[in-house]
Amino acid sequence: SFQIAGYILGTTGWAIGLWLGHTSRHYSFRTHRILAILIFTFTTLQMLALRLRPKATDDYRKYWNMYHHFLGYALLALISVNIFQGIDILRPDHTWKWAYIGLLVVLVFIFLALEIYTWIAFIIRKRTPQETNSTPSNTSQGPVAKTSHSSTSSSSSSVMAS
């Protein structure tokens, strides 16, 4: 997936940065290096978190989702700051900095649009099961209607009772 490809590219860039930092003893960019180490560490933690994700029914899943969500956005901010650090190290024409700012603005709008879409879909999904469970046809079956497989469980339990 895209996350794995991004992680591989990021790890490759990090390894090249370590190699360049080791071979150029006369140049040291402390802030850029510290940010890169933090980014690599937290990105690795994010990738491990996907493997160690609790089941959807686990009580800790909502806390895991919050952690994963906020750490992901914090990483995006750290990565952006580190790229600005790298641009400042190279001291190119200001066109590069403004081009990167333009790219960031476009990405922020895409992130916001996707985040709004996700929240709207979440709210709709959250409301939909509650509305369908309160319809008159479902309430006539009693408490069994509130389960997701109510028709099969009520018919099989009535067969077993007979």
Side-chain angles (χ1 to χ4, degrees), residues 6-82:
Y7 182 74
I8 290 170
L9 286 172
T11 303
T12 304
W14 183 70
I16 291 170
L18 286 178
W19 176 74
L20 286 172
H22 181 70
T23 58
S24 59
R25 302 237 182 239
H26 301 291
Y27 298 102
S28 177
F29 307 106
R30 183 176 170 87
T31 305
H32 190 62
R33 178 179 284 197
I34 290 171
L35 285 174
I37 291 169
L38 286 173
I39 290 166
F40 179 73
T41 303
F42 289 133
T43 304
T44 302
L45 188 63
Q46 280 286 76
M47 295 300 288
L48 288 173
L50 284 175
R51 187 77 175 127
L52 302 173
R53 175 178 41 189
K55 294 179 183 177
T57 56
D58 195 356
D59 292 337
Y60 296 108
R61 179 65 181 257
K62 73 177 179 179
Y63 300 113
W64 182 91
N65 284 340
M66 287 189 293
Y67 143 78
H68 189 67
H69 183 82
F70 290 122
L71 183 59
Y73 279 117
L75 274 168
L76 290 173
L78 269 177
I79 291 167
S80 298
V81 168
N82 203 28

Side-chain angles (χ1 to χ4, degrees), residues 96-112:
W96 285 99
K97 188 179 271 189
W98 285 108
Y100 181 62
I101 289 171
L103 178 67
L104 276 180
V105 167
V106 169
L107 288 175
V108 165
F109 279 120
I110 291 170
F111 292 152
L112 284 174

Side-chain angles (χ1 to χ4, degrees), residues 152-162:
T152 58
S153 62
S154 65
S155 62
S156 63
S157 63
S158 64
V159 170
M160 288 184 180
S162 339

